[in-house]
Amino acid sequence: MPEIVIAGASTRSAAFSALRAGFRPYCLDLYGDADLRAVATVRTVSDYPQGLIAALEDRPEAPIMYVGALENSGNVLDFMEMGRTLLGNPREVVRLVRDPEYIADTFQSFNLPLPEVRSMHDAPDRDGKWLVKPLQGAGGRGIAAWSAETVAPDEPHYFQRHLEGGSYSAVFLAPADQRDVRFVGVTRQIVGSAQLGAKPFSWCGSVGPETLSVEVEHLVRRMGNILSWKLGLAGLFGFDFVVDPEGVPHLIEVNPRYTGSVEVLEHTLKLTLLRDHCAVFGVEPPEFAAPSPGVTALGKFVLYSPTDWTAPEPSEWLLPDEWMHDEIWREVPSVADIPPAGAQVRAGQPICSLFVRGESMSECLDGLGAQLASVSSRLGLELPT
């Protein structure tokens, strides 16, 4: 199996995708989860993200891809591009798609909907109708309603008009020439769920695949095409959007890399997307591939800790079918992103991911309560009701 290096805050889902695509992942991440260590070579980087540079210096010249939040670390991306095959969008493309004012100007020129944005130097009224967001945010970090009580972040930020409506995420795969952009699918986003212990605006899961109206899907596909054709996005990428009460989708944020919802779509649509992603950047995929057996619908939910907590041995709180068995990356897990024994989890940080299968998205959502109650009881954690 050819090797690829995967770097990011949490690489488990991408590593499992890589294994199903026939690659051998070498992972550099912040957590070093137990289920990741069971199937891949892992180097935990405590000085994250800057420590990734030193960690990469020790690696052979294998192709490298980045995942969650590294789009915000420009010097790390620069280093990844030096003397290696980068399985992802280069820094210059990332800079454009992560600039909210540039995206707004581009979308307005094509008459595409998105909420109004303002720079940090043009603050709107503190009337609660706007959100303040870090420019280098990810997963909902640092987002707050802009009101009289809100303290502006002590980092570069911007303002985005708050829209009511359903929250979704779309995934695309574009070739290197950006000519034929492939629409993969859409998932519904779970954001700020008190049931999962999440803070307001924090991403805490995806459920899919979602079916949109013809009109909404047409606009979503056009948004993906424009992001690739005009801004240069290639390979796997996604964006978050809100469908307002009138049924109009508005782009919220662009994710120029493998996203947290990719594995939901891989399992439900029986895809091995990393094969095509790597091929876009000139890496021939191996002959071997093992697509997921598939499920009709799947929910992926992130459980956040209500208190400071020390992780026990995984075998002490996980059931046999949730933990170690041969080739765990092939199947849809019940629990994933499992913290290693002794890991210190602070209040508000993620503990693990929970997966709920179903015949429909509503069945996945309905099944979360039982899964949550079972896992939290075994962990000895009292979660919000």
Side-chain angles (χ1 to χ4, degrees):
M1 300 175 71
E3 184 179 55
I4 61 172
V5 178
I6 305 175
S10 176
T11 61
R12 192 276 317 161
S13 61
F16 280 25
S17 291
L19 285 161
R20 290 191 295 271
F23 292 99
R24 177 167 51 92
Y26 180 100
C27 299
L28 304 170
D29 81 358
L30 178 60
Y31 299 108
D33 290 325
D35 46 344
L36 175 63
R37 291 185 179 279
V39 298
T41 302
V42 182
R43 178 168 174 178
T44 304
V45 179
S46 56
D47 180 23
Y48 182 90
Q50 298 307 316
L52 286 171
I53 292 176
L56 285 168
E57 289 176 338
D58 297 336
R59 289 300 307 139
E61 300 303 316
I64 183 169
M65 68 175 283
Y66 58 90
V67 294
L70 271 187
E71 63 270 19
N72 296 320
S73 302
N75 62 331
V76 177
L77 294 188
D78 283 342
F79 187 83
M80 287 182 178
E81 294 182 52
M82 295 170 56
R84 292 175 181 267
T85 298
L86 181 66
L87 303 173
N89 290 290
R91 183 181 183 184
E92 182 56 28
V93 171
V94 170
R95 185 186 64 80
L96 292 177
V97 301
R98 295 291 293 177
D99 182 338
E101 293 183 81
Y102 188 86
I103 290 290
D105 289 343
T106 301
F107 268 45
Q108 287 166 6
S109 69
F110 286 93
N111 198 29
L112 289 171
L114 81 171
E116 182 184 354
V117 297
R118 293 190 182 185
S119 75
M120 62 185 292
H121 306 295
D122 184 23
D125 292 337
R126 293 173 175 265
D127 55 9
K129 297 180 180 179
W130 292 78
L131 300 176
V132 58
K133 307 175 74 171
L135 275 171
Q136 295 187 338
R141 180 191 69 81
I143 299 176
W146 186 239
S147 66
E149 296 78 28
T150 308
V151 177
D154 188 21
E155 61 179 300
H157 56 274
Y158 69 104
F159 300 93
Q160 186 178 69
R161 187 175 289 279
H162 182 49
L163 295 180
E164 299 293 338
S167 182
Y168 303 89
S169 180
V171 172
F172 293 81
L173 201 155
D177 60 10
Q178 289 93 33
R179 293 181 61 185
D180 186 17
V181 182
R182 174 183 170 190
F183 171 67
V184 177
V186 169
T187 56
R188 187 184 307 173
Q189 287 197 311
I190 311 301
V191 178
S193 169
Q195 183 184 22
L196 290 160
K199 296 177 181 178
F201 305 108
S202 292
W203 177 80
C204 46
S206 301
V207 187
E210 178 67 271
T211 301
L212 304 171
S213 70
V214 172
E215 295 80 9
V216 172
E217 183 176 312
H218 173 76
L219 266 178
V220 168
R221 286 174 179 259
R222 179 161 170 74
M223 290 175 181
N225 290 342
I226 294 301
L227 288 171
S228 181
W229 295 341
K230 299 301 179 181
L231 281 79
L233 281 173
L236 280 170
F237 70 92
F239 62 83
D240 303 332
F241 63 98
V242 167
V243 178
D244 69 19
E246 285 71 46
V248 178
H250 299 255
L251 183 141
I252 300 297
E253 185 172 281
V254 180
N255 300 304
R257 35 77 184 165
Y258 180 105
T259 71
S261 61
V262 166
E263 66 177 328
V264 171
L265 295 174
E266 283 193 327
H267 284 305
T268 54
L269 303 178
K270 300 182 181 180
L271 301 173
T272 51
L273 292 172
L274 277 195
R275 293 177 65 80
D276 295 333
H277 175 79
C278 291
V280 166
F281 301 101
V283 173
E284 190 70 24
E287 293 184 7
F288 169 85
S292 168
V295 291
T296 303
L298 182 64
K300 172 184 178 179
F301 306 96
V302 180
L303 172 60
Y304 290 83
S305 182
T307 184
D308 291 350
W309 176 77
T310 301
E313 287 282 350
S315 59
E316 294 179 8
W317 64 279
L318 292 171
L319 303 177
D321 65 342
E322 295 174 337
W323 176 224
M324 283 302 299
H325 55 84
D326 292 341
E327 297 181 329
I328 57 175
W329 46 270
R330 285 181 182 267
E331 307 290 337
V332 179
S334 295
V335 181
D337 303 308
I338 299 163
Q344 301 296 309
V345 180
R346 302 301 181 192
Q349 291 183 334
I351 293 176
C352 62
S353 298
L354 308 178
F355 289 79
V356 182
R357 308 164 184 81
E359 292 302 312
S360 66
M361 289 176 52
S362 60
E363 192 173 305
C364 295
L365 291 165
D366 291 343
L368 172 60
Q371 170 78 319
L372 198 56
S374 173
V375 169
S376 61
S377 175
R378 285 179 267 146
L379 288 171
L381 293 175
E382 185 175 344
L383 301 176
T385 57

